[in-house]
Amino acid sequence: GAVVSQHPSWVICKSGTSVKIECRSLDFQATTMFWYRQFPKQSLMLMATSNEGSKATYEQGVEKDKFLINHASLTLSTLTVTSAHPEDSSFYICSARALYNSPLHFGNGTRLTVT
Amino acid sequence: AQTVTQSQPEMSVQEAETVTLSCTYDTSESDYYLFWYKQPPSRQMILVIRQEAYKQQNATENRFSVNFQKAAKSFSLKISDSQLGDAAMYFCAYRSFTGTASKLTFGTGTRLQVTL
């Protein structure tokens, strides 16, 4: 079945630095990718929708200058957390789909800890 | 905007027994999809079952079945013959049938414990 690879699976960074998370579709071309954030014992909150070759659409309340999303190819989307702060520590999950009504496939997530 | 509500933060079931997880949603749309996802401790999101709103027949996948009540906007998940591996967080999710984004809206989740 379709696989979405997310890297790294965990990362620790210092406050003020930036960290990049990659989301790759391994065996299909993903026209759309979604980025979610999940706090401990809470649900997944959509941060942004990314379509290949165009600017990401951010959900209300998500700072686009802080969470930079790039979807430069049909198999790769990246989320860069800029000037990270401890409150950005969370679990970030990407998902991808090939076509509009295709099933969504999720990555394994990235646990970000900002010290 | 659509909302998804899961009123049971935690549920417990004995192995081999049956458990039902509740989900209600609010929407003004007539066509949409509903999903149940499982998130085990590994945090990987796993699709359990999917229901198209235009289908009257309840979806089933092996030991998993749903009770879809469109008028009541209810979408419960029944797990039969529960197994230890069913222990996980379960999220109900809604997706519009139309619209270019077609994003998923998740409920708050139900943590299912399976006991011996």
Side-chain angles (χ1 to χ4, degrees), chain B residues 52-111:
Chain B
E52 290 87 351
Y54 62 85
K55 290 185 178 179
Q56 292 187 334
Q57 188 172 7
N58 290 323
T60 62
E61 285 289 341
N62 301 313
R63 297 183 295 109
F64 299 88
S65 61
V66 298
N67 184 3
F68 173 48
Q69 301 291 325
K70 190 173 183 179
K73 295 180 182 174
S74 170
F75 183 61
S76 61
L77 174 70
K78 185 171 82 172
I79 306 174
S80 304
D81 186 24
S82 297
Q83 301 174 359
L84 293 177
D86 294 334
M89 280 292 289
Y90 285 83
F91 293 99
C92 178
Y94 174 102
R95 193 185 111 179
S96 294
F97 194 77
T98 58
T100 55
S102 196
K103 58 193 179 185
L104 280 176
T105 300
F106 287 93
T108 50
T110 297
R111 181 171 301 280

Side-chain angles (χ1 to χ4, degrees), chain A residues 4 32 34 36 38-46 49 51 59 91 93 97 99-109 111, chain B residues 6 33 37 39 41-47 50 89 91-92 95-109 111:
Chain A
V4 173
T32 305
F34 302 88
Y36 292 86
Q38 185 179 28
F39 289 106
K41 298 185 179 181
Q42 293 190 25
S43 187
L44 282 72
M45 301 300 296
L46 181 66
T49 302
N51 290 297
E59 294 299 300
F91 192 69
I93 306 175
R97 67 162 189 241
L99 300 174
Y100 176 75
N101 277 330
S102 299
L104 267 181
H105 302 281
F106 285 83
N108 286 339
R111 181 177 302 282
Chain B
Q6 293 178 250
Y33 297 100
Y37 281 90
Q39 188 180 41
S42 67
R43 307 294 289 271
Q44 174 72 51
M45 294 292 286
I46 301 167
L47 177 64
R50 156 182 165 151
M89 280 292 289
F91 293 99
C92 178
R95 193 185 111 179
S96 294
F97 194 77
T98 58
T100 55
S102 196
K103 58 193 179 185
L104 280 176
T105 300
F106 287 93
T108 50
R111 181 171 301 280

